[in-house]
Amino acid sequence: MGLIKTGMIIAGDKSGEKEKMKALLQRVTGAAVSVDGKVTGQINQGLVVFVGVAQGDTERDVSYLVEKTAGLRIFADKEGKLNLSIRDIRGELLLVSQFTLLADTRKGRRPSFVGAAAPSQAGALFNRFIEMAQATGLKVATGRFQQHMQVAIHNDGPVTIMLDSKEKLA
C-alpha cells in the first residue's frame, strides 16, 4: 500500500509492512557451494534456492515455499513449454541460506537488514526448510548456515524466480 503525501501515492512504500520469507530460485544445469575451498553441496540439473528468513516467519512460511518450489512448473517439456516441475524431471535442489534477500535499500546507500530474522530463528527455520525439501523425495544439497560461501552456478535459460511467502500468506 502506498503512502499518501500531499495527495500523491508513492509507489513501493513498505511502511508498516512486515517482510516475509523469500526464496530466490535459479534453474541450473549444475551448481556447487564451497566453504573454505571445500565443496559442501553439489547438484546436477535442478534449482539453486537462496532462502532469506525474515523476523516473524514460521513453519507455515517454510511449508508454503517448499511446496511452491517443488511444484513450480519452470522446466521445459518435449514441446519446449515450461510445463514441468522439479519433481517431474527428478531434479535436484541446492539450498543456500541468504539473509541479504531481506535487504532494505530505500534509504541511503548501505542496505539495512533489520527485517532479517535473528540467526537462532533463521537457522532453525532454514534447517526446517531442508527437512521439508528432503521430505519431497528430491535430492537436496546445502551450503553452511552463517558461513561465507562461494556458489558456482550454471544457469539454465536463465530462469530466475523470486518467491515470497507474503504473496500467499498475507
Side-chain angles (χ1 to χ4, degrees):
M1 180 153 191
L3 177 67
I4 298 178
K5 279 193 178 177
T6 62
M8 291 189 338
I9 296 179
I10 301 171
D13 181 68
K14 295 182 179 180
S15 299
E17 288 184 26
K18 293 251 184 197
E19 289 290 337
K20 293 302 272 176
M21 187 177 288
K22 293 182 181 183
L24 180 71
L25 283 55
Q26 293 192 327
R27 190 178 73 183
V28 299
T29 56
V33 61
S34 301
V35 176
D36 295 328
K38 296 178 183 162
V39 174
T40 63
Q42 186 170 356
I43 63 168
N44 294 308
Q45 183 183 26
L47 295 172
V48 173
V49 182
F50 295 100
V51 180
V53 181
Q55 290 181 26
D57 282 343
T58 67
E59 194 166 311
R60 188 172 172 224
D61 297 284
V62 174
S63 179
Y64 170 73
L65 288 179
V66 168
E67 282 304 312
K68 191 71 164 179
T69 297
L72 201 61
R73 298 181 332 177
I74 57 174
F75 292 89
D77 62 15
K78 287 185 259 182
E79 286 79 43
K81 291 187 179 184
L82 299 183
N83 275 330
L84 302 175
S85 72
I86 192 166
R87 284 178 173 146
D88 296 328
I89 67 155
R90 300 188 195 287
E92 301 173 357
L93 292 172
L94 177 59
L95 306 179
V96 179
S97 177
Q98 187 175 349
F99 76 95
T100 60
L101 291 177
L102 283 297
D104 182 349
T105 59
R106 291 176 289 160
K107 294 181 183 177
R109 296 184 185 172
R110 183 177 181 177
S112 170
F113 302 104
V114 297
S120 59
Q121 178 196 10
L125 287 175
F126 182 67
N127 286 335
R128 192 66 184 121
F129 198 106
I130 294 167
E131 292 167 3
M132 287 185 179
Q134 289 169 332
T136 67
L138 297 169
K139 176 188 173 193
V140 176
T142 67
R144 294 248 172 90
F145 185 77
Q146 270 194 309
Q147 298 293 309
H148 184 87
M149 296 174 272
Q150 292 77 44
V151 184
I153 298 172
H154 298 278
N155 276 335
D156 182 21
V159 173
T160 303
I161 308 278
M162 176 66 84
L163 300 178
D164 185 329
S165 63
K166 182 170 52 177
E167 293 170 355
K168 179 68 175 174
L169 301 176

